[in-house]
Amino acid sequence: MLKYLQHSEIDFTLWDACVQRAEQHLVYAYAGYLNVSTGGSWDAIVEMQHGKYVSVFPLPFKKLLTEPFIYQPFHSQQLGLFTTPESRETTVAPYLGQIPKRLRKVYLQLNTGNTFEMGHLPKGFSSVPRITFHLNLTYAYEVLKESFATNLKRNIKKAKKEKFEVTETENLPDLIKLYRQTRGKELKEVKDRHYALFQKQYVFLQKNSLAQLLEIRKNNELIAGALFLKQPGKLIFLFSATSETGKQHGAMPFLISRIIKQYAGTPTILDFEGSSIPNLARFYSSFGAKPVTYLSVSRNNLPWYLKPLLK
């Protein structure tokens, strides 16, 4: 039986036990990460059996004026339905059907495990396919390297000639600074509050040993860095930045090749988290990563005068 729970009714211990046992296990759905990412503004639909949660479906929400709406939190690419072997309701549609009508605007990105478990969407809902790229690291590094594109191998050689060293760090502020000086300048929709939230998310990840931050410096100047979210069976390429010097010398390809080498031969999927942007898609696929589909679902029953404010 499915039940809608308000945030105050959710047992976080039962919640995390379910997410960690789920086939679709993702750190984004941990109660602590959701609490940080949403400021504690999330409800949920759960399936309960014998006093424990066997399926969970988080519903992050915000308010515009007095209008609550469901949204996808920052740095949480996928959420959706998380099921365990005891689950009886294993398709997404019944959970969407439990979302109260008062929540007239809904936008959620489901996880890759939900793509073929949708069921018939309730009236008013639609879905759109999105793409991420996965690289299976089960094989030895020498085997994985055979699938690297020629241009990628060339860039890695450039970095080797520079004798770059990839080091672990906890210095996220420097990486954020580099990002804001480079690609971040083009992303006007990413505000100071998003970077402040990212710092809080990183604190949670660090505290729970769920993050691996790598960097490359040249003459003590940061030229490339990347934050990987790590969980059993999966690495997620969450955030990165490269300077012009780093681009010229193949720093990011070299950094990613190092983490591939570190986890090669283990039952791990490297999720590049995107992308539909052609240049990024080519870059991720150059490592041998394959496209994997996930879906976004939405409905918008807002009155006409609110729709432009909540696109």
Side-chain angles (χ1 to χ4, degrees), residues 148-185:
F148 288 3
T150 301
N151 190 54
L152 178 68
K153 291 177 180 177
R154 190 179 301 121
N155 281 321
I156 292 172
K157 281 184 180 179
K158 283 184 190 177
K160 286 181 176 178
K161 285 181 181 178
E162 294 293 320
K163 295 184 167 53
F164 287 151
E165 288 189 14
V166 178
T167 58
E168 289 206 28
T169 179
E170 295 182 2
N171 191 347
L172 184 65
D174 272 9
L175 182 57
I176 290 176
K177 181 180 178 182
L178 177 59
Y179 183 84
R180 298 187 77 164
Q181 291 170 343
T182 53
R183 187 164 183 264
K185 289 195 295 187

Side-chain angles (χ1 to χ4, degrees), residues 170-208:
E170 295 182 2
N171 191 347
L172 184 65
D174 272 9
L175 182 57
I176 290 176
K177 181 180 178 182
L178 177 59
Y179 183 84
R180 298 187 77 164
Q181 291 170 343
T182 53
R183 187 164 183 264
K185 289 195 295 187
E186 304 167 11
L187 301 176
K188 304 301 182 185
E189 68 274 18
V190 183
K191 310 293 186 184
D192 288 347
R193 59 186 169 84
H194 293 107
Y195 293 111
L197 173 57
F198 184 25
Q199 294 268 21
K200 293 177 182 177
Q201 290 171 323
Y202 180 64
V203 169
F204 171 83
L205 295 171
Q206 275 293 99
K207 183 179 178 181
N208 292 278

Side-chain angles (χ1 to χ4, degrees), residues 250-262:
M252 187 56 68
F254 182 70
L255 185 153
I256 295 174
S257 74
R258 293 302 89 185
I259 201 162
I260 289 174
K261 190 171 187 178
Q262 179 183 344

Side-chain angles (χ1 to χ4, degrees), residues 5-210:
L5 297 180
Q6 294 185 346
H7 187 256
S8 60
E9 300 174 300
I10 299 169
D11 184 313
F12 297 151
T13 301
L14 294 180
W15 179 276
D16 282 343
C18 179
V19 172
Q20 290 168 13
R21 291 177 59 240
E23 177 186 349
Q24 307 88 351
H25 181 184
L26 279 174
V27 171
Y28 298 141
Y30 286 9
Y33 192 83
L34 280 166
N35 282 334
V36 172
S37 300
T38 68
S41 295
W42 60 283
D43 293 344
I45 299 160
V46 304
E47 180 185 4
M48 294 189 68
Q49 289 183 28
H50 309 297
K52 67 179 182 179
Y53 299 170
V54 296
S55 307
V56 294
F57 194 104
L59 296 171
F61 66 87
K62 288 182 178 180
K63 283 188 178 181
L64 176 66
L65 302 177
T66 59
E67 184 75 38
F69 62 97
I70 304 295
Y71 76 108
Q72 193 75 17
F74 184 67
H75 274 165
S76 305
Q77 189 199 57
Q78 299 174 31
L79 287 172
L81 175 59
F82 298 84
T83 59
T84 63
E86 294 87 1
S87 302
R88 292 175 184 169
E89 294 285 0
T90 58
T91 58
V92 170
Y95 295 82
L96 296 178
Q98 291 285 323
I99 298 176
K101 295 291 189 290
R102 63 181 175 81
L103 296 166
R104 295 185 288 182
K105 172 74 165 66
V106 176
Y107 176 82
L108 284 171
Q109 291 171 192
L110 308 178
N111 60 69
T112 55
N114 296 160
T115 302
F116 300 105
E117 300 292 342
M118 291 296 292
H120 185 68
L121 291 180
K123 184 179 179 181
F125 277 93
S126 60
S127 65
V128 175
R130 302 172 68 91
I131 295 295
T132 186
F133 281 81
H134 285 183
L135 178 62
N136 187 344
L137 302 182
T138 303
Y139 308 100
Y141 180 71
E142 293 304 315
V143 175
L144 293 169
K145 193 169 66 171
E146 290 176 3
S147 297
F148 288 3
T150 301
N151 190 54
L152 178 68
K153 291 177 180 177
R154 190 179 301 121
N155 281 321
I156 292 172
K157 281 184 180 179
K158 283 184 190 177
K160 286 181 176 178
K161 285 181 181 178
E162 294 293 320
K163 295 184 167 53
F164 287 151
E165 288 189 14
V166 178
T167 58
E168 289 206 28
T169 179
E170 295 182 2
N171 191 347
L172 184 65
D174 272 9
L175 182 57
I176 290 176
K177 181 180 178 182
L178 177 59
Y179 183 84
R180 298 187 77 164
Q181 291 170 343
T182 53
R183 187 164 183 264
K185 289 195 295 187
E186 304 167 11
L187 301 176
K188 304 301 182 185
E189 68 274 18
V190 183
K191 310 293 186 184
D192 288 347
R193 59 186 169 84
H194 293 107
Y195 293 111
L197 173 57
F198 184 25
Q199 294 268 21
K200 293 177 182 177
Q201 290 171 323
Y202 180 64
V203 169
F204 171 83
L205 295 171
Q206 275 293 99
K207 183 179 178 181
N208 292 278
S209 301
L210 296 169

Side-chain angles (χ1 to χ4, degrees), residues 266-294:
T266 68
T268 303
I269 296 294
L270 172 55
D271 185 347
F272 283 96
E273 284 221 328
S275 171
S276 58
I277 301 171
N279 285 345
L280 286 177
R282 278 194 296 272
F283 178 60
Y284 300 150
S285 62
S286 72
F287 289 93
K290 305 299 182 186
V292 178
T293 300
Y294 66 102

